[in-house]
């Protein structure tokens, strides 16, 4: 079973927000109060660029999917929605490869 | 010289200590108010290096191309310092792992090549960095040349002036080298106009390199000391030493290395710590720092900035405060105000020890070692030499016969100005007062 069969856009958004919270994003804010328009960085969820990379690695573990470094390198995101869109696009088939069964 | 038998092979993987840590590493924290509202976060680091920093695998495979490049000078020799032992009249057996036998002259090439490999795979075309004494800058220049990457090095101004040969060798490998603070960045220009700023701060150099990388497409910042992946790549040193000692039927009782930010110490010590981390016995692992920058022995375990930018994540580590100004001294690679969060956590939890020595004592041991063993240590590496001699003397007092292993992390052939100052009696010991440290620590960020 590939990730595509179990993760739709809504679920991907949920996974991204959970991973952001796991890495300190939101300062205790509950997931349901995090919106697509919120900034990821210091003026929003308070995520550092390194923590954001760790979020991507966490998503790789959950999805059983490896993002290609070249696809991620020098990418930049301001909002939660932009990050969800970026991860969804990569996972749909460009910029990554399926590795093993994920935990999603 | 008495090189070890040549049966040891290059390790197939680096040792990842993180899964063996019996405690959680404190998470990094974003500094409050960092960055303007809505500023996008730019992903600078290859995911491969992030995976290595949080991975749960005990061994991370060394990519074939990196292994091929390693084989140009690895495995490095493990040497018994028999003449030093006899001169000391000790029953201790003293071994050193010599990492100076490559063009960069230091252990730094192990992670520089690995980083260049992963950055190139991630599409980088140019790497920027800050360097203190020049070993790291040289190593990155060599690695970038090997991988076809451009390279710009911001070198701490005092080292830039003291070591023109370091500039030359970096340029030989195609790197652009400037003294930091430089006029090439906004941060550098601002610092150059500040009359209170001297030219001896590694944090400034890294800040400039970061600004450069963020402002130029295809450029990334590469740093080579305290990051988990830098230490990981450096564990090839300890893994080789472990196998080389095992060939002799030995295991160390004491492992020493100088401490800048952590790659040298972690590189040789971590592969020997697994047993102790799981509750068993293992060698005493001792980091040797400069009394001019005594972060473990006189610093505090708190969240602090890792550079001067004010926007990078805060890390919990032993620190003298990011505003600490290391006094002028001759071991530029030991000037950093803090040390790796992994090395800090190990020390905080009692798994390692730390000592600090003043530079005249260190140079005295370095000259003695050189005359007996035929290698002139870099000033940073000389701290480990001095530490090993102190441990041999302690063993004599206590009637023990330990196997002492230390990392001779680089040669001192670019440091002859410092040795001349020592020979001419112009070198002075440099220590830092508790009041100076206390003042610096007042500026730690609030978390």
């Amino acid at each position: 079973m590939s990730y595509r069969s179990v993760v739709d856009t809504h679920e991907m958004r949920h996974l991204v927000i959970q991973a952001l919270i796991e890495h300190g994003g939101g300062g205790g804010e509950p997931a349901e109060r995090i919106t697509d328009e919120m900034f990821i960085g210091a003026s929003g969820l308070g995520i550092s660029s390194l923590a954001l990379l760790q979020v991507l690695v966490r998503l790789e573990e959950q999805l059983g999917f490896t993002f290609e470094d070249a696809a991620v390198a020098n990418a930049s995101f301001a909002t939660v929605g932009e990050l969800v869109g970026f991860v969804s696009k990569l996972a749909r088939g460009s910029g990554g490869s399926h590795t093993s069964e994920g935990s999603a | 010289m008495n090189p070890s038998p040549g049966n040891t092979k290059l390790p197939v993987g680096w040792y990842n200590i993180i899964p063996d840590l019996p405690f959680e590493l404190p998470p990094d924290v974003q500094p409050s108010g960092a960055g303007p509202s809505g500023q996008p976060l730019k992903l600078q680091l290859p995911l491969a290096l992030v995976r290595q920093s949080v991975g749960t695998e005990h061994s991370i495979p060394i990519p074939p191309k990196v292994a091929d490049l390693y084989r140009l000078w690895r495995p490095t020799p493990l040497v018994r310092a028999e003449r030093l032992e006899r001169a000391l009249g000790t029953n201790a057996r003293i071994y050193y792992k010599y990492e100076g036998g490559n063009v960069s002259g230091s252990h730094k090439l192990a992670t520089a090549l690995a980083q260049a490999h992963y950055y190139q795979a991630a599409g980088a075309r140019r790497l920027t960095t800050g360097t203190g004494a020049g070993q790291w800058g040289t190593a990155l220049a060599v690695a970038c040349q090997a991988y076809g990457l451009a390279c710009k090095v911001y070198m701490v101004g005092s080292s830039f002036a003291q070591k023109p040969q370091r500039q030359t060798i970096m340029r030989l490998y195609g790197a652009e080298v400037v003294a930091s603070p430089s006029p090439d960045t906004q941060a550098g220009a601002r610092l150059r106009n500040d009359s209170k700023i001297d030219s001896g701060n590694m944090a400034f150099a890294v800040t400039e390199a970061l600004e450069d990388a963020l402002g130029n497409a295809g450029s990334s910042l590469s740093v080579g000391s305290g990051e988990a992946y830098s230490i990981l790549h450096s564990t090839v040193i300890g893994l080789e030493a472990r196998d080389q000692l095992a060939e002799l039927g030995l295991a160390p009782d004491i492992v020493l290395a100088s401490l800048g930010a952590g790659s040298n110490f972690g590189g040789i010590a971590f592969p020997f710590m697994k047993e102790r981390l799981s509750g068993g016995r293992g060698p005493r692992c001792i980091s040797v720092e400069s009394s001019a920058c005594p972060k473990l022995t006189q610093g505090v375990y708190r969240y602090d900035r890792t550079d001067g930018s004010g926007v990078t994540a805060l890390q919990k580590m032993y620190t003298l405060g990011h505003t600490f100004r290391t006094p002028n001294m001759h071991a530029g690679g030991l000037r950093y105000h803090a040390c790796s969060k992994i090395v800090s956590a190990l020390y905080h939890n009692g798994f390692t020890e730390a000592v600090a020595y003043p530079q005249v004592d260190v140079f005295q041991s370095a000259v003695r070692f050189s005359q007996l063993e035929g290698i002139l240590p870099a000033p940073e590496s000389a701290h480990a030499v001095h530490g090993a001699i102190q441990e041999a003397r302690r063993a004599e007092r206590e009637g023990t016969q330990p196997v002492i292993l230390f990392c001779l992390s680089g040669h001192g052939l670019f440091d002859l100005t410092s040795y001349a100052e020592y020979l001419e009696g112009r070198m002075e010991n440099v220590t830092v007062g508790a009041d100076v440290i206390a003042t610096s620590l007042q500026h730690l960020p609030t978390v």
Side-chain angles (χ1 to χ4, degrees):
Chain A
M1 185 165 57
S2 76
Y3 105 93
R4 291 180 187 82
S5 64
V6 296
V7 181
D8 57 20
T9 303
H10 176 76
E11 191 167 359
M12 180 67 83
R13 182 179 180 281
H14 174 74
L15 288 173
V16 168
I17 290 173
Q18 286 299 327
L20 286 167
I21 291 172
E22 275 181 34
H23 289 81
E29 194 82 6
E32 56 271 19
R33 294 188 62 178
I34 294 177
T35 66
D36 284 356
E37 292 72 33
M38 280 183 159
F39 292 121
I40 299 169
S43 57
L45 300 182
I47 289 281
S48 69
S49 60
L50 179 58
L52 184 53
L53 286 159
Q54 292 168 347
V55 165
L56 293 177
V57 172
R58 176 69 178 136
L59 290 169
E60 286 183 337
E61 293 167 1
Q62 292 183 310
L63 297 168
F65 188 87
T66 300
F67 299 124
E68 288 177 5
D69 264 314
V72 173
N74 288 308
S76 62
F77 320 95
T79 66
V80 173
E82 289 174 17
L83 176 61
V84 172
F86 178 80
V87 172
S88 299
K89 182 180 172 186
L90 287 189
R92 273 198 300 270
S94 59
S97 58
H98 186 75
T99 51
S100 62
E101 191 71 27
S103 58
Chain B
M1 294 261 290
N2 176 27
S4 65
N7 296 329
T8 297
K9 293 180 179 174
L10 187 71
V12 297
W14 296 296
Y15 169 59
N16 180 19
I17 197 171
I18 293 174
D20 290 328
L21 296 177
F23 50 79
E24 290 287 322
L25 286 173
D28 298 348
V29 174
Q30 182 74 359
S32 59
S37 177
Q39 185 183 43
L41 290 179
K42 185 179 177 186
L43 303 181
Q44 278 270 309
L45 194 63
L47 269 182
L49 295 177
V50 181
R51 292 186 196 105
Q52 293 174 3
S53 302
V54 298
T56 55
E57 301 295 325
H58 289 88
S59 181
I60 309 290
I62 300 174
K65 182 170 180 181
V66 175
D68 285 345
L69 290 164
Y70 276 2
R71 288 191 188 93
L72 293 174
W73 87 102
R74 308 203 72 90
T76 59
L78 179 80
V79 184
R80 183 171 178 180
E82 291 176 299
R83 286 165 56 87
L84 177 64
E85 289 174 13
R86 284 197 294 275
L88 293 172
T90 180
N91 288 316
R93 284 167 286 181
I94 304 175
Y95 288 86
Y96 63 90
K97 182 75 168 158
Y98 182 48
E99 290 294 316
N102 66 76
V103 69
S104 80
S106 83
H107 72 289
K108 296 285 190 181
L109 194 53
T111 185
L113 285 168
Q115 290 193 40
H117 177 88
Y118 292 114
Y119 274 106
Q120 189 213 38
R125 300 187 300 275
R126 174 177 177 268
L127 298 182
T128 67
T129 197
T131 191
Q135 288 103 326
W136 167 245
T138 308
L140 192 66
V142 172
C144 283
Q145 194 270 338
Y147 278 90
L149 300 170
C151 181
K152 182 164 183 178
V153 179
Y154 293 84
M155 187 173 184
V156 171
S158 55
S159 292
F160 187 89
Q162 285 173 358
K163 302 179 184 182
Q165 296 88 355
R166 275 283 175 199
Q167 301 173 38
T168 302
I169 196 164
M170 285 186 263
R171 289 180 178 129
L172 276 174
Y173 283 84
E176 181 185 358
V177 190
V178 295
S180 174
S182 80
D184 297 6
T185 65
Q186 291 180 17
R190 191 167 60 247
L191 291 164
R192 286 161 68 92
N193 289 330
D194 186 338
S195 60
K196 291 181 291 188
I197 300 298
D198 60 23
S199 57
N201 193 312
M202 181 66 181
F204 296 159
V206 174
T207 301
E208 286 201 85
L210 175 61
E211 180 186 321
D212 181 326
L214 290 173
N216 288 285
S219 294
S220 291
L221 170 71
S222 173
V223 285
S225 193
E227 303 68 30
Y229 53 83
S230 296
I231 301 176
L232 173 85
H233 305 147
S234 304
T235 59
V236 67
I237 301 167
L239 291 168
E240 286 178 6
R242 189 188 62 187
D243 291 347
Q244 288 166 319
L245 284 169
E247 281 183 41
L248 302 170
L250 297 173
D253 299 295
I254 301 167
V255 180
L256 301 105
S258 60
L259 182 72
S263 68
N264 175 37
F265 175 72
I268 194 160
F270 282 7
F272 292 99
M273 295 187 68
K274 188 179 178 77
E275 196 175 349
R276 178 171 282 214
L277 290 171
S278 61
R281 292 176 57 85
R284 294 169 56 213
C285 294
I286 306 171
S287 57
V288 187
E289 53 189 20
S290 165
S291 61
C293 193
K295 45 238 178 183
L296 285 183
T297 53
Q298 292 189 57
V300 295
Y301 189 45
R302 294 269 300 275
Y303 276 95
D304 195 11
R305 296 178 181 177
T306 58
D307 58 45
S309 70
V311 300
T312 49
L314 307 178
Q315 296 189 349
K316 191 166 186 180
M317 54 191 179
Y318 275 89
T319 180
L320 296 167
H322 62 273
T323 61
F324 179 76
R325 302 282 174 262
T326 304
N328 276 336
M329 53 93 155
H330 291 278
L334 308 187
R335 277 197 187 105
Y336 189 54
H337 67 278
C339 87
S340 149
K341 63 180 180 182
I342 299 178
V343 173
S344 292
L346 286 166
Y347 180 68
H348 183 70
N349 285 281
F351 290 104
T352 66
E353 303 172 35
V355 291
Y357 295 117
Q359 62 181 0
V360 174
D361 299 5
V362 165
F363 271 74
Q364 187 176 35
S365 290
V367 170
R368 187 178 194 189
F369 177 87
S370 176
Q371 291 170 349
L372 290 165
E373 296 293 331
I375 297 175
L376 187 66
E380 295 80 9
S381 316
H383 286 71
V385 173
H386 187 67
I389 290 173
Q390 301 314 304
E391 285 300 322
R393 287 178 172 149
R394 171 177 166 157
E396 284 308 298
R397 290 194 302 272
E398 296 178 351
T400 58
Q401 300 177 10
V403 174
I404 299 172
L405 168 68
F406 71 90
C407 189
L408 191 64
S409 54
H411 67 66
L413 296 177
F414 291 115
D415 302 281
L416 297 180
T417 303
S418 300
Y419 277 99
E421 193 168 306
Y422 170 79
L423 283 177
E424 292 159 10
R426 293 185 286 115
M427 183 180 288
E428 294 180 350
N429 279 334
V430 180
T431 55
V432 182
D435 56 330
V436 173
I437 295 172
T439 300
S440 173
L441 293 176
Q442 289 175 0
H443 301 285
L444 288 178
T446 303
V447 176

